[in-house]
Amino acid sequence: MKYRIDPAIFASYPEYLRGVLVLSGMANHGEQEDVVCLLREAEHTARERYTLETLRDDPKIASWREAFMKFGTNPNRYPPSIESLLRRVLKGGTLPYINTPVALMNTVSLRYGLPCGGDDLGKIEGDLVLTYAQGDEWYIPLNGTEPEPPQKGEIILRDSRKVLCRKWTWRQGDATKITESTVSAVINIDCLPPFTLENLEEILAEASSLFARYCGCHVITGVLKNDAPELEIPVVQ
């Protein structure tokens, strides 16, 4: 399986970086007290670092809002996932423990102020491609039942049959969501300036350690970037 980013995306966003973690052999059942603590600590850190009034002006959030506007999406109507996550926490909410990988993805997002999402590798068909939508692709939103095709020109993550995520980081699809039965997954960590490659490599190392420790899995990491837009994803069981 190949994982690639359309060169047209790098033409518009040359400093964009996508960190990738491939997890195999996951043990993903039940709630872990240590992971709950990590998630609550990350929520607490976010509340100390950001405010609702100034969130949009934070450089890490502003860069995503600008990126969304550049491909024709209104970030007020379709906010980047990291902005939505932080707003939920800043309003006093605590995030549910859906399962351990999802809790760890949310922990990484809140710690660093960036999008982190993932998909069940066993439910992906063909290659993974981050590209611009034609507008006729098949997509069912997370926990939804009815198709909602993307708008032409928005950035999507797709495989050979369906859309896995709409509007870059806005909303995941239902077909490849990570559940307790997931044993292999691909995790994405997305960076725009002010994040650098050095920052991403440090985040990948920490995330890799977290997933290996709490999911009991083998982890392979890689980076998709302007001068390396394609990765080979090993077939895992």
Side-chain angles (χ1 to χ4, degrees), residues 125-137:
E125 303 169 87
D127 293 339
L128 279 172
V129 185
L130 189 73
T131 187
Y132 289 99
Q134 296 301 308
D136 58 356
E137 293 89 351

Side-chain angles (χ1 to χ4, degrees), residues 42 48 53 58 76 86 109 114 151 153 159 168 182 184-185 228:
E48 291 187 326
E53 293 74 21
D58 183 275
N76 295 325
L86 283 168
S109 286
L114 43 64
Q151 297 172 314
D159 64 12
W168 209 340
T182 300
S184 60

Side-chain angles (χ1 to χ4, degrees), residues 21 73 102 107 117 126 143 149 159 162 174 186-187 194-195 217 227:
L21 301 97
T73 289
V102 171
T107 296
N143 299 323
D159 64 12
K162 59 191 174 293
D174 192 71
V186 57
I187 308 297
F195 286 101
C217 59
D227 59 354

